[in-house]
Amino acid sequence: MAINLVKGQTIDLRKNDKGEEFDLSQVTIGLGWDVRQQKSGGFLGKLLGGNKEADYDLDAIAFLLDSNGKVADLGRTVQTSDGRQVGLYQGDVIFFNSQKHPSGNIWLTGDNRTGAGDGDDEQIIVRLNALDPKYDRIVFLVTVYQGRQNGQHFGMVENAFIRAVDARGREIAKFTMSGDTAYNNMCGMIFAEVYRKDGGWKFRALGNPERSDNFVEILRQYTYQ
């Protein structure tokens, strides 16, 4: 049975307290969320379409950190097919414009732009056992795309969760949060981290809110620059 974590709790990913061992050759970090339904404005409001909510586009991101807790390789800048300049490409930051690490050992499966449906809305998959020893820690975060512009934040999100699932599909741990006043106007969230310890991997539930909806601003606290 998976462990339901509370903020700040740390567990061993290799096995639980009942001695059940997990296969870390490939671990899925699944993230999900629901948007809190706004109260109806009545028949007239529905008729006028005044209660229509914009879709919430929450983006999952991962930072691969070295033993100093920093992102050592910020990647490079490339030009996309539509002429845009995109930075952080093929570095130690996994996000919507650079979904697969050059090593092939960590990748983002795709971008769910609404959070609709059951189960994971986004997934980051990591081959922990194959990860280069220079990577000591992985931080997982989520930002609300254009949250500031659209007036969207984690206070409006319910049942946001992060979970770890082993290579055999067994859920190891899950950390769930519901939106409350503490998350109002917070457009980013550092959800959790996994880190090396005694030859294995630990998982820590964080739940640290950030005001910014731009993960690059959050990234600054994890860089040498």
Side-chain angles (χ1 to χ4, degrees), residues 5-203:
L5 303 176
V6 297
K7 183 174 180 177
Q9 186 175 357
T10 301
I11 65 162
D12 191 330
L13 282 178
R14 292 174 298 182
K15 60 183 179 181
N16 58 26
D17 55 5
K18 295 182 180 179
E20 182 181 10
E21 295 188 358
F22 296 102
D23 184 350
L24 303 185
S25 60
Q26 183 164 300
V27 175
T28 299
I29 302 297
L31 300 110
W33 65 89
D34 296 318
V35 177
R36 179 179 296 157
Q37 296 299 312
Q38 301 298 312
K39 292 184 179 179
S40 171
F43 174 77
L44 185 59
K46 291 180 180 178
L47 186 64
L48 296 175
N51 290 305
K52 182 174 176 58
E53 290 286 323
D55 289 338
Y56 275 55
D57 182 5
L58 274 68
D59 295 316
I61 301 112
F63 301 157
L64 282 77
L65 310 182
D66 62 17
S67 59
N68 295 316
K70 303 293 184 181
V71 175
D73 183 0
L74 291 174
R76 55 192 174 88
T77 299
V78 298
Q79 183 170 314
T80 63
S81 57
D82 58 3
R84 293 181 299 116
Q85 296 291 320
V86 175
L88 302 174
Y89 184 69
Q90 288 193 334
D92 291 340
V93 177
I94 305 302
F95 69 112
F96 44 85
N97 280 332
S98 186
Q99 297 189 10
K100 190 167 186 176
H101 192 262
S103 69
N105 290 324
I106 177 169
W107 65 94
L108 176 67
T109 60
D111 186 12
N112 182 328
R113 295 183 180 274
T114 67
D118 296 329
D120 299 336
D121 292 310
E122 295 202 2
Q123 294 179 332
I124 296 175
I125 300 175
V126 191
R127 293 175 178 147
L128 285 178
N129 290 343
L131 208 60
D132 193 300
K134 69 181 180 181
Y135 299 116
D136 189 69
R137 185 180 305 259
I138 308 172
V139 173
F140 299 95
L141 60 149
V142 176
T143 57
V144 183
Y145 178 68
Q146 294 186 339
R148 290 290 177 205
Q149 176 180 320
N150 296 327
Q152 299 172 338
H153 52 79
F154 277 94
M156 300 175 174
V157 174
E158 291 183 325
N159 305 319
F161 70 82
I162 184 168
R163 66 186 189 126
V165 179
D166 83 346
R168 300 176 185 174
R170 296 173 298 176
E171 188 175 89
I172 306 170
K174 188 174 185 178
F175 173 46
T176 303
M177 299 183 300
S178 289
D180 58 34
T181 56
Y183 300 141
N184 284 347
N185 300 315
M186 298 295 177
C187 298
M189 186 74 66
I190 302 176
F191 259 78
E193 64 183 3
V194 298
Y195 61 95
R196 295 183 189 272
K197 183 70 173 179
D198 300 328
W201 290 92
K202 299 279 189 178
F203 182 101

